[in-house]
């Protein structure tokens, strides 16, 4: 019962995040458009999303991996549950991280580069 409630809460959170654009938060299109900028800023060392991006990349690789098809062949529906959990986690992580990146990007654009003079 508790696991069902946790999964239900994850899907509700995902649905809320996807509709955040209508409530003043970043829209889904803005979040998806921020992905390439977030990856580039992380690669340049400007944004601290390296570990989180690595985890999202590993989750994506797990989902699309042909090795993961073996449990589905033998366990049928039960083999798909792990994929559903991973897809839910990945979608929530991408939405949360892109929102964090967009906030970072907005704060960064208000800072004037230079040196602090004592």
């Amino acid at each position: 019962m508790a696991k069902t409630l946790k999964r239900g809460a994850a899907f509700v959170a995902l649905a809320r995040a996807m509709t955040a654009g209508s409530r003043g938060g970043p829209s889904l299109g803005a979040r998806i458009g921020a992905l390439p900028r977030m990856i580039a800023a992380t690669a340049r060392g400007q944004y601290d999303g390296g570990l989180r991006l690595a985890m999202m990349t590993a989750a994506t690789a797990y989902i699309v991996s042909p090795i993961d098809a073996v449990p589905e062949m033998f366990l049928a529906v039960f083999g798909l549950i792990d994929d559903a959990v991973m897809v839910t986690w990945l979608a929530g992580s991408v939405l949360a991280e892109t929102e964090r990146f967009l906030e970072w990007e907005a704060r960064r654009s208000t800072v004037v580069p230079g040196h602090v003079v004592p």
Side-chain angles (χ1 to χ4, degrees):
M1 178 75 172
K3 288 184 181 180
T4 304
L5 290 175
K6 287 180 184 178
R7 277 190 220 119
F11 284 116
V12 168
L14 179 60
R16 286 182 183 163
M18 290 179 73
T19 60
S22 62
R23 294 190 312 255
S27 68
L28 185 59
R31 292 170 193 252
I32 291 172
L35 276 173
R37 293 192 317 270
M38 180 174 64
I39 293 168
T42 301
R44 287 190 303 263
Q46 297 171 336
Y47 182 66
D48 66 345
L51 181 60
R52 290 179 296 277
L53 282 176
M55 290 176 57
M56 288 186 268
T57 302
T60 302
Y62 177 80
I63 292 167
V64 300
S65 170
I67 295 171
D68 187 45
V70 174
E72 277 84 12
M73 288 188 293
F74 297 111
L75 300 174
V77 174
F78 296 109
L80 296 174
I81 292 174
D82 67 329
D83 288 338
V85 170
M86 288 301 285
V87 167
T88 303
W89 177 85
L90 180 61
S93 295
V94 167
L95 292 172
E97 191 60 29
T98 53
E99 183 170 357
R100 183 175 175 268
F101 174 76
L102 288 169
E103 290 172 359
W104 172 82
E105 203 173 40
R107 282 192 315 268
R108 189 168 182 253
S109 66
T110 61
V111 175
V112 177
H115 300 320
V116 176
V117 179

